[in-house]
Amino acid sequence: MYKQGTVRDAKNIFLLTMKLVLSRLTSCCFYATVLLFLTAACSVNSSVELPANVTVPALLLFGDSIADTGNNNYIKTLVKCNFPPYGKDFGGGVPTGRFCDGKVPSDIIAKELGIKDTLPAYLDPTVLPQDLVTGVTFASGGSGFDPLTPKLVSVISLSDQLKYLKEYIGKLEAMIGGEKTKFILTNSIFLVVAGSDDIANTYFTMRARKLQYDVSAYTDLMANSASSFTQKLYELGARRIGVFSAPPVGCVPAQRTLAGGAERKCAEPLNEAAKLFNSKISKKLDYLASSLPNGRFVYVDIYNPLLDLIQNPQKYGFQVADKGCCGTGGFEVSILCNQYTSVTCANVSDHIFWDSYHPTESAYKALVSLILGEYVNKFF
């Protein structure tokens, strides 16, 4: 047996040795230390094969309901879903504020990259310090690139999401220091998902911009705003930035009901507006990539994969593409999709859409699988 004094002496020698080693760390070793710190925070296995010597310490999301995991729970707005039947397939049927029956792309991408199982909402007061280190979402259901879009429904604008990012950076710096924070910002993936609310709600349904802009001018406004927001992310330290295209919003069940005629076909004017915006933002991202040093600006096409899913549901294992699972499936969304007035379908996994606007977890998983396979290496 060891004597107590011997153990204490050995412990002191070990601590002094470690202190000496740490004091002589080179910058290379510093980054290795950061990697070890981040590895300890991440316990989820990645299903995506990253290039050698590449790390993605965190995932940060911005935009609308596609990426919102509960921020709208903590603001005064009618655009909420923190009640049943939302969350029907999420962790025992818990309505978290995700506009889905289960996980949304924010969660699925975080898990596929091996970062964590779910991506918490930044405004959630229960978020722990280690949650911040590996990423959060600042997105707000109902938001958009047009500054008027979030005002119309009292949700968090992209400019306010940017303010929250600055606050987040300050919290990281206070917790782990400036150098580690810079490392996280430089190596993390930033994703922006917006545009569908601008087109579907602000322009076509509410017609709030139609007197000021034709479709071409309005998509210019959207693309300029998206480009400006992306550049501001870069200025705050982001280097790996992806911007999702607008989806075929004319094919979501709500727009089929509102503008698809008696046969509820896809509303093509909305789809044409989405395609016009997509062509413009793609070119702007190419310009940013050529003009901003060390920046990776990735245009992520969601339009065509989702359209293929809708047009060929059986190919992906789905049966219903034109109606949501909640209620009649034709118009229920947010507060209209609730446990008192809306019965859900018998088999959610048969449906591409959960409510009249948002896909099911099963559809999101199919889309994320397609997207990551095509785009993940473009960030490095």
Side-chain angles (χ1 to χ4, degrees):
M1 294 181 63
Y2 293 105
K3 294 181 180 179
Q4 186 176 0
T6 304
V7 173
R8 186 182 299 112
D9 290 342
K11 182 179 179 181
N12 288 338
I13 291 170
F14 172 77
L15 290 174
L16 286 171
T17 303
M18 289 303 298
K19 188 174 182 180
L20 179 62
V21 171
L22 289 170
S23 70
R24 295 184 179 181
L25 280 173
T26 63
S27 60
C28 177
C29 291
F30 165 77
Y31 286 113
T33 304
V34 177
L35 287 175
L36 287 171
F37 173 80
L38 293 167
T39 301
C42 303
S43 58
V44 180
N45 291 327
S46 172
S47 63
V48 176
E49 187 175 346
L50 299 178
N53 302 318
V54 165
T55 182
V56 181
L59 179 68
L60 296 153
L61 267 291
F62 306 83
D64 58 25
S65 56
I66 305 302
D68 187 356
T69 62
N71 283 312
N72 279 16
N73 296 350
Y74 307 100
I75 62 174
K76 291 181 179 179
T77 179
L78 291 176
V79 186
K80 291 181 184 288
C81 59
N82 54 342
F83 44 79
Y86 286 96
K88 179 178 180 292
D89 300 303
F90 186 93
V94 180
T96 59
R98 288 166 170 83
F99 291 80
C100 189
D101 63 295
K103 293 182 179 180
V104 294
S106 314
D107 307 307
I108 299 166
I109 295 171
K111 185 170 184 178
E112 291 294 304
L113 291 174
I115 297 172
K116 50 189 171 186
D117 280 322
T118 57
L119 199 70
Y122 178 67
L123 294 184
D124 184 344
T126 66
V127 170
L128 300 172
Q130 57 264 38
D131 293 326
L132 295 180
V133 172
T134 50
V136 292
T137 176
F138 303 91
S140 175
S143 197
F145 291 123
D146 180 354
L148 179 60
T149 299
K151 288 182 181 179
L152 291 172
V153 287
S154 301
V155 297
I156 307 167
S157 66
L158 285 178
S159 60
D160 283 338
Q161 291 179 36
L162 206 65
K163 290 178 184 177
Y164 283 132
L165 173 62
K166 293 176 183 176
E167 182 181 276
Y168 164 87
I169 292 170
K171 288 179 180 179
L172 280 189
E173 289 174 340
M175 184 169 56
I176 60 175
E179 285 299 311
K180 289 179 182 177
T181 297
K182 182 180 178 181
F183 177 88
I184 289 174
L185 294 175
T186 300
N187 292 281
S188 296
I189 290 179
F190 291 67
L191 296 177
V192 185
V193 187
S196 60
D197 288 302
D198 298 317
I199 294 169
N201 298 334
T202 304
Y203 195 81
F204 281 97
T205 301
M206 297 183 183
R207 306 174 74 85
R209 291 290 201 183
K210 277 212 166 187
L211 292 178
Q212 295 172 276
Y213 304 94
D214 60 16
V215 171
S216 180
Y218 188 64
T219 51
D220 280 340
L221 180 154
M222 289 174 60
N224 289 336
S225 175
S227 176
S228 175
F229 181 79
T230 304
Q231 188 164 347
K232 287 173 183 175
L233 291 178
Y234 177 89
E235 291 167 359
L236 288 173
R239 291 298 179 268
R240 298 170 175 172
I241 306 170
V243 179
F244 278 60
S245 74
V249 67
C251 293
V252 303
Q255 292 304 321
R256 287 176 182 265
T257 301
L258 288 171
E263 296 181 358
R264 298 185 67 253
K265 294 181 178 180
C266 293
E268 288 307 322
L270 283 79
N271 286 351
E272 290 301 319
K275 287 190 285 187
L276 190 56
F277 164 75
N278 293 344
S279 66
K280 292 175 179 179
I281 188 58
S282 177
K283 290 174 184 175
K284 287 185 176 294
L285 291 174
D286 286 342
Y287 173 76
L288 291 178
S290 66
S291 59
L292 297 177
N294 303 315
R296 293 280 186 165
F297 299 91
V298 181
Y299 169 76
V300 181
D301 174 25
I302 191 66
Y303 185 98
N304 289 299
L306 180 53
L307 186 61
D308 190 47
L309 210 71
I310 292 168
Q311 292 177 337
N312 304 288
Q314 289 82 9
K315 175 176 155 184
Y316 299 93
F318 298 100
Q319 302 297 322
V320 183
D322 63 344
K323 290 185 178 181
C325 179
C326 185
T328 66
F331 66 90
E332 294 89 346
V333 63
S334 189
I335 57 174
L336 297 178
C337 172
N338 62 75
Q339 63 182 326
Y340 303 108
T341 64
S342 304
V343 177
T344 57
C345 61
N347 192 348
V348 180
S349 61
D350 282 346
H351 286 64
I352 290 175
F353 290 96
W354 161 248
D355 58 23
S356 69
Y357 202 88
H358 305 96
T360 58
E361 178 181 334
S362 297
Y364 278 140
K365 284 182 176 178
L367 288 169
V368 168
S369 178
L370 293 170
I371 291 166
L372 284 180
E374 182 171 353
Y375 293 101
V376 69
N377 287 326
K378 294 185 179 182
F379 287 96
F380 314 119

